[in-house]
Amino acid sequence: MKQVVQRKQSEKAFLLGLICGLLGLITNTWLIIPLYGNLSLHLGEVFVIACLITRGLKPALLASIITTAGLVYETGNYVFFVSAILEIIILNALLRKGVLLLLADAVFWVMLGIPITYLTIKYIYDVTSADFMQVILLKQAVNGVLIVSIVALLKPFIPLRWFSAAVEPEAPKLSDRVFELSLNSISLPALIISLFLSDSAADNTEKQMENVLKTRTEHYISYLTNYVDYHLNSLRSLETVVLNNNITDVERDLMLNKWNNIYNGFITMLVANQSGLIISGSPAEFSNHFL
């Protein structure tokens, strides 16, 4: 009889882990919160952490694998599997020792999460920009802590019947509850506000860079246009002299050399007859190959 009950509990835990994983997969695939650029928040792991604190380690691992599959499929980076599984294992171990959920997640990101993310973006994605690397690391840490903060705030409202016998929560001390609620009440609004401010700052920076690039582009276009017009006018002036029937070949060569020295934009200056044959040019060592 006991074995039958344990088997039913295992099947129920497996089913709940599967459901949480599918909900997390759907959230990560279709309910993405964009930040700036290609960076975005994925909140599907909320269901994984909720599964961990209510059903235990094994169902949470199953939910984590299913949830992370969407990110792996999207990015092609299998390191997400390693990071997600390690996070669940570390959180489970620390929770069993009585560490608060938010503090346990902070310990994971400081000790393992950020180093793994750093090595991934440096050696797999070959990111060399220090600023962009810092933004990615901050985004990953904020994403993780934000998820845990949401679950920690929702935890007191989860019915006790949803908890399995293995992880059924004990009545916490009043001081622990006050500390946990205070910590969550501070961290969650601070994270949300920082995300909005960083998004606004990124938009302003992007607009400033766009204006700078636009101004520089207009300047370069104007400079190139003036540069080309300047040399075209010099050619028109030279044309009236070179096409003069009274000018000798020596005078024409001298004129070409003079023009070539005055206008540095000309590498060579060649004169062709009506048949397309080169009859004169500057510099002399170059035009001799055609004459």
Side-chain angles (χ1 to χ4, degrees):
M1 184 66 180
K2 184 178 180 181
Q3 292 178 349
V4 174
V5 173
Q6 290 178 347
R7 186 179 65 185
K8 289 184 177 180
Q9 289 179 347
S10 299
E11 292 176 352
K12 184 178 180 181
F14 175 82
L15 179 61
L16 290 174
L18 180 62
I19 293 174
C20 288
L22 291 176
L23 291 174
L25 176 62
I26 293 171
T27 303
N28 279 346
T29 305
W30 286 287
L31 299 177
I32 300 173
I33 301 176
L35 288 179
Y36 37 84
N38 293 327
L39 300 181
S40 57
L41 293 179
H42 301 83
L43 300 181
E45 202 175 355
V46 167
F47 298 98
V48 178
I49 304 300
C51 183
L52 174 66
I53 64 176
T54 57
R55 309 309 303 178
L57 178 61
K58 292 182 180 179
L61 287 175
L62 174 61
S64 179
I65 292 174
I66 297 174
T67 299
T68 311
L71 296 178
V72 174
Y73 177 78
E74 181 181 350
T75 61
N77 183 10
Y78 290 92
V79 178
F80 280 116
F81 276 134
V82 178
S83 178
I85 291 174
L86 283 177
E87 182 177 12
I88 297 302
I89 294 175
I90 297 299
L91 288 181
N92 179 72
L94 293 177
L95 289 175
R96 288 182 176 274
K97 293 183 179 181
V99 180
L100 294 179
L101 181 60
L102 185 59
L103 293 179
D105 193 65
V107 169
F108 164 76
W109 281 104
V110 171
M111 301 299 296
L112 291 175
I114 292 180
I116 290 175
T117 305
Y118 173 79
L119 294 175
T120 301
I121 60 180
K122 183 175 178 64
Y123 294 104
I124 295 181
Y125 289 101
D126 196 23
V127 176
T128 57
S129 174
D131 293 336
F132 187 59
M133 191 178 297
Q134 292 174 4
V135 170
I136 296 177
L137 293 176
L138 180 61
K139 175 263 175 184
Q140 288 294 100
V142 168
N143 198 155
V145 175
L146 179 62
I147 288 171
V148 170
S149 298
I150 294 173
V151 176
L153 287 177
L154 295 177
K155 181 180 177 181
F157 303 99
I158 300 177
L160 291 178
R161 65 178 180 272
W162 289 12
F163 290 82
S164 68
V167 295
E168 185 175 355
E170 300 179 356
K173 296 180 181 179
L174 179 60
S175 59
D176 293 340
R177 174 59 66 194
V178 171
F179 176 73
E180 184 177 15
L181 290 176
S182 300
L183 189 62
N184 289 327
S185 299
I186 293 173
S187 62
L188 186 58
L191 289 173
I192 295 174
I193 292 173
S194 64
L195 288 175
F196 278 111
L197 291 178
S198 62
D199 185 37
S200 177
D203 288 338
N204 292 332
T205 303
E206 183 179 357
K207 290 179 181 178
Q208 291 177 359
M209 292 181 63
E210 183 180 355
N211 292 331
V212 171
L213 291 175
K214 183 178 180 180
T215 302
R216 289 183 177 179
T217 301
E218 293 175 350
H219 171 73
Y220 287 134
I221 291 175
S222 177
Y223 173 79
L224 290 175
T225 301
N226 294 333
Y227 185 83
V228 172
D229 290 341
Y230 174 72
H231 285 78
L232 283 176
N233 292 331
S234 70
L235 284 178
R236 293 189 182 100
S237 301
L238 179 62
E239 181 184 15
T240 59
V241 178
V242 171
L243 295 181
N244 188 355
N245 294 328
N246 296 325
I247 190 172
T248 63
D249 293 342
V250 176
E251 292 175 339
R252 184 179 55 203
D253 292 340
L254 292 175
M255 186 65 67
L256 288 177
N257 288 326
K258 182 179 180 181
W259 238 255
N260 201 8
N261 293 328
I262 294 176
Y263 299 96
N264 296 325
F266 295 126
I267 299 176
T268 61
M269 302 190 75
L270 302 176
V271 179
N273 58 18
Q274 295 179 351
S275 300
L277 299 176
I278 304 299
I279 59 175
S280 182
S282 174
E285 59 272 15
F286 181 85
S287 59
N288 287 336
H289 293 285
F290 298 92
L291 298 176

